[in-house]
Amino acid sequence: MVENPKTWADQLRNRRLKLRLSLPKAARLLKVSRNTLCEWEARKLDILAIHYPRIINFLGYIPPLFSTKTTGQKILAYRLIHGMSQQKLALLLKVSQGALSHWERDVVEPRGGSKKKIEELLGPMMEMLDELR
């Protein structure tokens, strides 16, 4: 087990070992293949947004691995925690995927009506993410 896990891979492996689960059994719980879990743990495969909610459920907590210092980082964390693609969140916010991408990368800050929409949708989550730091 990794003493101070700093990656999702370490978090997953530690939890699996703590529960004394084999790779196949943990993979079934996460609804992924054994190979996928093995590659996540080895850091050979990136975790897709759709998998984060199941991983968080498996871990039993949201690990403090998200950087949430900027608005863009908070938007990205919200999207991943909820397993949403940029396209899906953009549709929910009624903005273009390009605008959302720029916000997540802190190229520009949301303004006006877009900022208000984000605050309304993400407000409680943003407060929770601030507490994780």
Side-chain angles (χ1 to χ4, degrees), residues 46-72:
D46 290 335
I47 299 170
L48 299 176
I50 60 170
H51 298 293
Y52 280 98
R54 279 184 262 149
I55 292 170
I56 291 167
N57 187 50
F58 177 76
L59 295 174
Y61 60 94
I62 299 171
L65 301 176
F66 292 109
S67 180
T68 57
K69 294 176 184 161
T70 68
T71 300

Side-chain angles (χ1 to χ4, degrees), residues 75-129:
I75 294 167
L76 176 62
Y78 176 91
R79 183 171 66 77
L80 293 177
I81 287 168
H82 289 87
M84 300 171 97
S85 66
Q86 279 187 337
Q87 183 178 17
K88 186 173 180 180
L89 183 55
L91 285 170
L92 186 64
L93 292 169
K94 297 180 180 155
V95 299
S96 71
Q97 185 176 343
L100 181 62
S101 175
H102 280 94
W103 298 340
E104 286 184 350
R105 291 181 289 127
D106 292 308
V107 174
V108 295
E109 285 276 324
R111 289 183 242 171
S114 296
K115 183 175 182 176
K116 184 174 170 118
K117 285 181 198 174
I118 288 173
E119 289 170 350
E120 289 171 1
L121 181 69
L122 313 182
M125 177 61 78
M126 287 185 165
E127 291 171 19
M128 189 269 310
L129 290 170

Side-chain angles (χ1 to χ4, degrees), residues 7 11-12 18 29 36-37 52 81 85 89 92 99 113 125 130:
T7 67
Q11 297 277 342
L12 275 168
K18 184 177 181 182
L29 290 171
T36 296
L37 180 55
Y52 280 98
I81 287 168
S85 66
L89 183 55
L92 186 64
M125 177 61 78
D130 283 338

Side-chain angles (χ1 to χ4, degrees), residues 31-48:
K31 297 181 181 170
V32 296
S33 71
R34 178 196 173 283
N35 288 343
T36 296
L37 180 55
C38 188
E39 291 192 7
W40 283 349
E41 287 187 4
R43 296 186 202 121
K44 292 181 180 177
L45 182 66
D46 290 335
I47 299 170
L48 299 176

